[in-house]
Amino acid sequence: MRAADQRELVVVGASLAGLRAAQALRDRGFTGALTLVGDEPHPPYDRPPLSKRVLTAPGRPAPTELPLPNGLRARWRLGRAAVRLDLAARAVTLADGTRLSYDGLVVATGSTARGWPAGKPPPPAGVVTLRGWDDALALRAALTAGGPLVVVGAGFLGGEIAAAARERGLDVTLVEAASQPLEGALGTVAGAYVAALHREAGIVLRTGTTVETFVTGADGRLAGVRLGDGTTVAAGTAVLAWGGVPSTGWLAGSGLALDGGVHCDPLLRVLRTDGSAVPDVVAAGDVARVPQPLAGGERLALGHWTNAVEQGTAAAATLLAGRAPDGTPAPFAAVPSFWSDLHGARIRSVGLPGVADETRVVEHDLTGRRLEIAYHRAGRLVGALTIGRTGRLASYRRALEEHLASGPAPDEPGPA
């Protein structure tokens, strides 16, 4: 490695995790060259509003750009995707042929929307996904044009899109393969509660089925969606909202472990296929599969806003640790959290409800828009969810933080 002020650090991914990593590098005293690479032409922007206020704003929606920190002093390479990583040469190649050498690298390329399966006939015009700013503007234009909407996938993104469209007065059908919305992430109790919210708002919810094919009109555009149960739903627009795919294509052939994302150790260092950590390369955000203590050490990729912020900051600490006076940083073990707003209900969660084997319902009041659930795994608290009871999450968070600090421990009940 070169002297500190002569090092070249590269962050691939100019969204939330990458920007927070770059900011943390400067905050921790790095004064060398810093380059941020992004595949979109836009400056870093916030994604959660894309499925909410960007779709419902009465006029042209305001940009959701993230504030750029003072003193970042970064060289920006926007609109140029990374296409190759050469670990031996310590170099990243961009789509325009530019080759960036690095002394340290942050992989923060996030994920892309899961599209229609490649083995099936391509969908007609009118079938879209939502991941970026341009996607949101296109979907907004389609909602403004009117016509029935079908949303495929009743997870957080799909539910928010359906709620936004319903707020605009559209006829909305929400299609979900599971028996309830959010069943895999939150369990059947919370899933049934969310299903009731959707139905009260006038959304037609079709569960236990998925899309088989599309029906087109005389103009070749989408006219309907044929489901697996044999029925057809009229649609002027259909949104595929059935999850994301970690953006790891540019890492193919690099020797990294890439199953379901970039595998990392607890310090966020990326791993080779043989399990060894790569020097001076870290990962953060949606693309990173990191051991989660609340899940028994299983590697998970978490697509939440807070996770991107916390991992970006922690990855920067690891990257600079070799030259820091305090030595190696602690393993990454933050308590995950997420939020969503559906039909006026404020859904908030901490921990990992999706890994639980037991659900304990503390409060359930659909009329009053209140819900509180504690999630346990092998008798141990691993997560909590509230609707209309946000103030109660602090106690659950403290309990989860104590669990992470102490390692395996007997069950601690959540607050009553």
Side-chain angles (χ1 to χ4, degrees):
M1 295 283 288
R2 307 170 191 168
D5 285 350
Q6 296 179 347
R7 284 183 296 167
E8 299 265 353
L9 300 188
V10 174
V11 179
V12 181
S15 194
L16 182 62
L19 182 62
R20 289 305 174 95
Q23 178 181 353
L25 289 170
R26 292 303 191 201
D27 289 346
R28 288 178 169 269
F30 175 67
T31 59
L34 179 60
T35 301
L36 273 82
V37 177
D39 61 348
E40 294 186 80
H42 312 295
Y45 60 88
D46 212 12
R47 294 184 188 274
L50 301 185
S51 57
K52 306 177 183 70
R53 64 177 175 85
V54 171
L55 299 182
T56 58
R60 180 174 174 82
T64 64
E65 292 180 1
L66 293 166
L68 298 181
N70 294 327
L72 194 61
R73 304 187 313 280
R75 295 178 296 192
W76 295 89
R77 300 291 184 267
L78 299 179
R80 287 179 277 182
V83 296
R84 184 171 181 268
L85 171 62
D86 187 333
L87 292 176
R90 290 181 172 241
V92 174
T93 302
L94 307 186
D96 64 358
T98 300
R99 185 176 171 88
L100 301 175
S101 298
Y102 66 82
D103 294 301
L105 175 66
V106 180
V107 178
T109 41
S111 62
T112 58
R114 188 182 300 277
W116 188 243
K120 294 187 175 183
V127 179
V128 301
T129 57
L130 174 59
R131 177 61 185 169
W133 174 252
D134 295 333
D135 298 333
L137 293 184
L139 178 56
R140 175 186 167 83
L143 299 184
T144 301
L149 174 72
V150 172
V151 181
V152 185
F156 296 109
L157 178 64
E160 289 169 359
I161 293 171
R166 189 67 192 134
E167 183 178 332
R168 296 188 58 146
L170 274 69
D171 292 332
V172 181
T173 300
L174 188 55
V175 179
E176 171 56 47
S179 63
Q180 301 289 355
L182 296 167
E183 183 176 311
L186 303 178
T188 56
V189 175
Y193 193 102
V194 170
L197 294 178
H198 285 315
R199 291 189 172 107
E200 282 189 5
I203 293 171
V204 177
L205 187 60
R206 302 288 297 274
T207 60
T209 188
T210 188
V211 175
E212 284 294 313
T213 188
F214 301 100
V215 178
T216 57
D219 59 358
R221 292 185 57 84
L222 177 71
V225 176
R226 184 167 295 127
L227 304 181
D229 60 11
T231 61
T232 298
V233 180
T237 302
V239 184
L240 304 180
W242 45 20
V245 180
S247 299
T248 59
W250 68 286
L251 300 172
S254 65
L256 298 183
L258 301 175
D259 180 27
V262 179
H263 287 215
C264 300
D265 70 6
L267 296 178
L268 303 178
R269 298 177 299 185
V270 305
L271 302 178
R272 299 184 179 90
T273 53
D274 63 6
S276 62
V278 179
D280 304 312
V281 183
V282 294
D286 295 8
V287 76
R289 286 194 64 176
V290 181
Q292 295 289 338
L294 293 175
E298 180 183 355
R299 285 191 178 89
L300 300 176
L302 303 178
H304 303 319
W305 193 95
T306 53
N307 183 69
V309 170
E310 292 164 345
Q311 284 189 356
T313 302
T318 292
L319 200 58
L320 297 180
R323 292 174 176 263
D326 55 352
T328 303
F332 180 78
V335 175
S337 63
F338 71 84
W339 69 89
S340 182
D341 296 311
L342 290 175
H343 313 295
R346 300 174 63 84
I347 303 172
R348 303 292 184 265
S349 177
V350 293
L352 294 173
V355 305
D357 57 25
E358 180 187 0
T359 298
R360 303 180 187 178
V361 180
V362 179
E363 183 177 18
H364 190 292
D365 179 1
L366 182 62
T367 302
R369 293 294 191 266
R370 292 187 293 272
L371 181 67
E372 181 180 349
I373 302 175
Y375 297 86
H376 292 74
R377 174 173 169 149
R380 176 176 176 173
L381 182 73
V382 293
L385 174 135
T386 65
I387 295 178
R389 293 295 194 187
T390 303
R392 298 188 178 184
L393 284 180
S395 295
Y396 286 110
R397 178 181 287 279
R398 285 194 297 271
L400 292 169
E401 289 172 343
E402 290 171 5
H403 285 160
L404 293 179
S406 62
D411 175 38
E412 295 180 22

